[in-house]
Structure formats: structure tokens, C-alpha cells
Amino acid sequence: MTAYVRSRHPGARLVRFAGDRLARQESGGRRLCIINYHRVLTRPDPLMEAEPHLAVFRWQMKLLADGFNVLSLAEAVDLLARGRLPSRAVAITFDDGYRSVHDLALPVLREFMLPATVFVSSGFLDHGNMWNDRILEAVRRMPEGTLDLSTHGAGCYQLANQELRRQSVRQLTETAKYLPPDGRSVLIAELERRAGGVDAPDLMLTPDMVRALARSNVEIGAHTVSHPILTSLDDDSARREIVTCKRDLEAVTGNTVRFFAYPNGKEGRDFDQRHVTMAREAGYTAAFTTALGAASSGNDRFRLPRSLPWDSNPLLFSLRLLRWLLA
Ligand SMILES: [Zn+2]
């Protein structure tokens, strides 16, 4: 395979030039932007405005290939620790283990010869969708009108138009996120019953897809078994989620699973020091949060931040990355 040839477009050259000039003025070592995707959609979806569809994902990958130095997560973490990062250093990650990483993202990553990491929740490999997607698909199919879940302690929602439906999905997801697992299951079963049953496609990777990704320059990382909020579990259950996922994924790929991403990823709310210690003791090399901005050599290796620029135009997307790299 021939190497991807970087664009000579003035915009790409300007990003490279500006990134290198800014990197020279940095004190305290270069920084690393770890980009954090979830799904890639085939087409825009009014209920999932934060998720890129294929055309958006493609310009973002081209922009990274042309303007930045995209490293594998393993190389990036190693160079970060040794203070040897190149300027404009970026790594690409995907959370949860969606099938679209295999079906839609992988061909684009290959086109631009970009390495990536996908953090997989191992409990969905053979069956089932994540609870947040079950809420979204149920609300999508619900008839127009009022959705009254007050008898389930989950409030009332208006579904008169797409915007209200999108807000309802967001609010219901936030409500369900911090319910105990049993309460959440009851609420989602009720939603699916009112939506006329379960009728969503399988969204998550299969074991064969995980193996195909692992053979294609995509590292497999762990993201717990069932994607719980770790702080909502007792310590034994949390440890089991962190340890078992590693073992499950190693059985699938035959490779050591080196990296872990905390579900939801906000320290203090979604995980705390206990889970940092558990990840270390489970034998991971590094762990990743969803704190905003770039990682620096001063970051704890088990608390490396990740984020996705939310800008919908390439210039602002580049500027935000450069700003994080410099901040
Ligand atoms: Zn996740």
C-alpha cells in the first residue's frame, strides 16, 4: 500500500505551519489531543446531532491526515510519557464498540492510513444494544403526543415535533443514566412496550468484527462489560466490570488489552480514585476520561483526557484542536 500523500492545499499547509510555530513556543512539553468518537452515522439523524455522519467523519479524517500527526494510542502514550511527542500530535478513539466503527469508519481510516483505538463494552458483543440506544429507538417510534412516565418517576415528555423528541431523548437518557441498573431496566422495558415492542437493528460490534478491526491497525481497548456508571456500583461489582472486560476482549482477539476508558468518563461523578486504582491493578497500561482538552506529560497516565471538537466547519475544528494543543 502506498503512503497517503498530504494535501498541499493552502489551508492544510497553514494548519501545519501554525501548529509547528506554536509548538516551538510551548514550555513544559508538547501536548496530545485524544479525539473521542462514538458512532458514525450513514446519514444525518435529527435525534443524534452530536454524532458525525459519514461525510462529516470523512472530512475530519482528511483534515487530521493533512494537518496533524496522527499516532496510535500506544505510541502517543509512550511518547507523551517520554516527552518526545511530535508537534500537532493527535490520537483517534471510539467508545462503546459500535458496529459503525467497522462498517463506516474503518474504510475511511484505511483511506487516510490512520491508526485508531476502539474501547469496547464486552457485554454487547454477542447480542443486544446499549440502554441509551434502546431509549432513543423507543422514543423515535413513539406516536406524537405526550409521553407520561410520571408513574415510573421519570417525568412527562412532549413529542410534538423532532426538536421536542430530541430533547426528550436527551432528558430521558440523563434521568436513566443515574438510576440503579434494575430501575433503569424497568423504565426501558416500559418505554419499549409503549413504543410497540423492540424493533432496533443490532448496533454493536460482533466478535468477528472486533478481530477484523484488530488486524487493521485498530487497537481494542476495554470499556467495562455492561457500561455502568462505576460510582453507582459497589466495589466488587465495579472491579468485576473492569477486570472481566479485559479478559473477555483478550479471549476474542488473542492480544493483550492495554487501555481502559471509564464509562461516561467524568471524574468525581462517573468514576473516582477507587476505579483508577482498580484499572491499575487490573493490569491496564493507561486509562482515559472525557475531561476536556489535550493531555500533557503532567497528567496521570490513568486519567488522560479525551474530547471531540464540536465545530461543524473544518477551519474552526482545526483551530479548536490547535488551541487545545497549546492551552
Ligand atoms: Zn461509553
Side-chain angles (χ1 to χ4, degrees):
M1 201 190 280
T2 50
Y4 173 71
V5 179
R6 284 182 159 179
S7 167
R8 297 179 61 78
H9 184 276
R13 289 161 71 175
L14 182 64
V15 168
R16 298 200 290 264
F17 175 77
D20 290 347
R21 283 301 291 264
L22 293 170
R24 245 178 270 158
Q25 292 166 15
E26 274 180 69
S27 54
R30 286 179 180 155
R31 299 165 69 96
L32 165 70
C33 268
I34 308 171
I35 298 187
N36 177 214
Y37 290 100
H38 290 84
R39 289 172 76 167
V40 177
L41 308 173
T42 41
R43 63 186 73 82
D45 184 331
L47 295 186
M48 285 187 277
E49 286 183 336
E51 306 290 326
H53 62 87
L54 190 54
V56 168
F57 182 73
R58 191 176 177 284
W59 73 244
Q60 293 182 348
M61 292 305 103
K62 177 165 169 42
L63 183 152
L64 294 181
D66 285 338
F68 294 84
N69 290 307
V70 180
L71 307 170
S72 73
L73 198 53
E75 188 182 16
V77 167
D78 177 54
L79 293 176
L80 176 69
R82 294 196 285 125
R84 301 287 300 275
L85 280 174
S87 59
R88 298 174 280 120
V90 168
I92 300 165
T93 69
F94 299 86
D95 275 10
D96 303 338
Y98 283 101
R99 198 166 281 201
S100 61
V101 176
H102 175 273
D103 293 349
L104 300 177
L106 182 60
V108 180
L109 294 169
R110 278 184 160 155
E111 177 184 353
F112 297 109
M113 306 190 77
L114 298 173
T117 298
V118 55
F119 290 99
V120 177
S121 283
S122 61
F124 304 98
L125 280 175
D126 288 310
H127 54 84
N129 287 330
M130 302 221 326
W131 62 264
N132 50 304
D133 294 310
R134 291 174 60 194
I135 290 177
L136 188 142
E137 294 307 326
V139 173
R140 191 197 297 283
R141 290 181 302 111
M142 212 73 80
E144 265 187 27
T146 304
L147 170 61
D148 185 355
L149 293 164
S150 48
T151 51
H152 287 73
C156 238
Y157 305 86
Q158 297 305 322
L159 307 177
N161 57 46
Q162 284 293 25
E163 175 56 25
L164 288 170
R165 212 170 272 265
R166 195 174 61 78
Q167 286 175 20
S168 300
V169 170
R170 201 184 59 225
Q171 287 164 11
L172 260 171
T173 304
E174 281 305 304
T175 301
K177 191 179 282 178
Y178 297 98
L179 287 177
D182 287 350
R184 188 161 65 216
S185 298
V186 169
L187 176 64
I188 292 170
E190 174 63 14
L191 271 174
E192 289 177 336
R193 189 185 68 75
R194 294 199 199 180
V198 184
D199 183 27
D202 282 337
L203 295 171
M204 310 312 284
L205 292 166
T206 65
D208 279 344
M209 290 174 179
V210 169
R211 283 186 282 271
L213 286 166
R215 287 193 302 269
S216 308
N217 213 13
V218 178
E219 174 143 8
I220 307 301
H223 196 42
T224 70
V225 176
S226 67
H227 205 279
I229 301 297
L230 290 167
T231 47
S232 72
L233 302 182
D234 63 64
D235 285 357
D236 284 346
S237 305
R239 188 175 292 105
R240 204 159 40 239
E241 288 276 349
I242 292 168
V243 169
T244 308
C245 182
K246 186 176 196 300
R247 209 175 51 211
D248 289 349
L249 293 169
E250 288 175 346
V252 169
T253 62
N255 301 329
T256 301
V257 170
R258 300 182 278 189
F259 302 128
F260 177 74
Y262 305 99
N264 232 44
K266 295 278 184 281
E267 181 155 18
R269 191 186 67 182
D270 303 319
F271 75 96
D272 60 33
Q273 179 58 46
R274 292 170 298 160
H275 311 111
V276 174
T277 304
M278 287 175 198
R280 206 184 291 272
E281 288 172 354
Y284 294 105
T285 310
F288 301 85
T289 72
T290 55
L292 200 64
S296 69
S297 56
N299 279 116
D300 178 344
R301 190 185 266 243
F302 281 78
R303 290 180 167 91
L304 294 172
R306 295 178 304 154
S307 29
L308 172 66
W310 48 86
D311 311 277
S312 56
N313 104 32
L315 177 66
L316 295 178
F317 185 96
S318 304
L319 287 176
R320 194 175 303 278
L321 276 178
L322 289 175
R323 213 183 80 199
W324 283 342
L325 284 167
L326 188 72

